[in-house]
Amino acid sequence: MNDRVIIRFEHVTKQYDDDPPVLDDVSFEMERGKFYTLLGPSGCGKTTILRLIAGFIEPTKGNIYFNGKLMNGVPANKRQVNTVFQDYALFPHLNVFENVAFGLRIKNLDKKTIETKVREALRFVNLEGYENREIHEMSGGQRQRVAIARAIVNEPEVLLLDEPLSALDLKLRTEMQYELRELQRRLGITFIFVTHDQEEALAMSDEIFVLNKGKIEQRGTPKDIYDEPINRFVADFIGESNIIPGKMLADFSVEFAGKQFECVDHGFEPNEPVDIVIRPEDLEITTREQGKLQVRVDSILFRGVHYELCCYDDNGNEWLVHSTKKAEVGEEIGLYFEPEAIHVMRRVETKENRGGER
């Protein structure tokens, strides 16, 4: 086994009673020192993976390995893992120092060692000088950093984060995304982050696991996931997409919206039904004559950095466009896009044959 692999799942299933599995025959590996994000809608299995890694629950079937050692049956307190929960789970009757020191006191470390480790952990999360502050006096972002300090002071090999930013306002949430990413780089340990927020996952991750109904639909870098979605679910869940039915005429040639277009995909059957994905930011507004597609503007919203246009072509297909150019409702415009902007997906996914080559 690759010695960089820190966590390995082998055909892991988690099921409660006779209910459908919340995790269904999942296998994957994670390497040390990376920032992983488990992304998906509620009930997809992402928190279940976190709880299995932490040792809070056991798999119904399959094996979980940590540094090559089987972890099935190993209690949570015997694993080199710490968790930051959604509600932070801080002790309200203890100050910042004592919250961070709690795990070290359980280990019966001496007073000087505890003080050194706590101050170092608080320095890492930019909370020097807050040792005597009461928890109720802290802001949401500060409480989150206390929870992270309490986790890293125990020097875990893996830090699990269960939607820790969900309670923060938008501005603070964005700031904490940068702080978490920078903290992970400084610590050099493996972070496994759970969220249902696509922008959060794209901004922070080395690799993303997109989950749906207890299975991993796709894993890859943020760029891979965004630019090369493997199926309609991933394309629709990650960012905003125009997903249009089409037909693959031949290698590098596809038909949709009643027209034939050059593309960069190949490896499909002739005349195979496909779905076409074009991201809204890849559509350029032009004159009707210069556009590869002709559409009528149905609505327009100003989003700050761009306009968001909802348009329809003559075949009734809806097109979402993000552009710095403005158009008027009812105006007929052209949409131009490069062949590389067209992503072709098979309608029916199989384990052996998912998506065409590029």
Side-chain angles (χ1 to χ4, degrees), residues 272-288:
E272 180 178 343
V274 293
D275 283 324
I276 307 301
V277 177
I278 302 181
R279 297 290 186 181
E281 64 272 19
D282 290 333
L283 295 169
E284 179 185 346
I285 295 176
T286 68
T287 63
R288 183 176 174 85

Side-chain angles (χ1 to χ4, degrees), residues 4 12 17 32 39 59 64 76 98 127 133 139 167 180 188 233 267 276 291 317 335 338 346:
R4 287 195 55 80
V12 172
D17 301 323
R32 66 183 73 254
L39 174 67
I64 300 172
E98 291 303 325
L127 285 179
R133 188 75 62 91
S139 69
L180 271 181
F233 173 83
I276 307 301
N317 297 307
L335 298 179
E338 298 288 347
R346 281 192 168 88

Side-chain angles (χ1 to χ4, degrees), residues 176-226:
M176 292 307 300
Q177 289 173 14
Y178 287 107
E179 289 197 23
L180 271 181
R181 188 64 176 118
E182 181 58 28
L183 179 64
Q184 188 272 331
R185 289 192 176 112
R186 280 189 283 144
L187 288 171
I189 64 176
T190 305
F191 274 34
I192 305 176
F193 185 88
V194 163
T195 184
H196 60 271
D197 187 305
Q198 303 94 322
E199 290 184 7
E200 203 162 78
L202 292 170
M204 299 173 68
S205 313
D206 290 316
E207 284 196 47
I208 298 172
F209 289 63
V210 183
L211 286 99
N212 183 35
K213 297 179 179 178
K215 291 185 175 293
I216 297 172
E217 294 280 352
Q218 186 174 356
R219 68 172 291 183
T221 66
K223 182 173 174 55
D224 289 341
I225 297 290
Y226 188 82

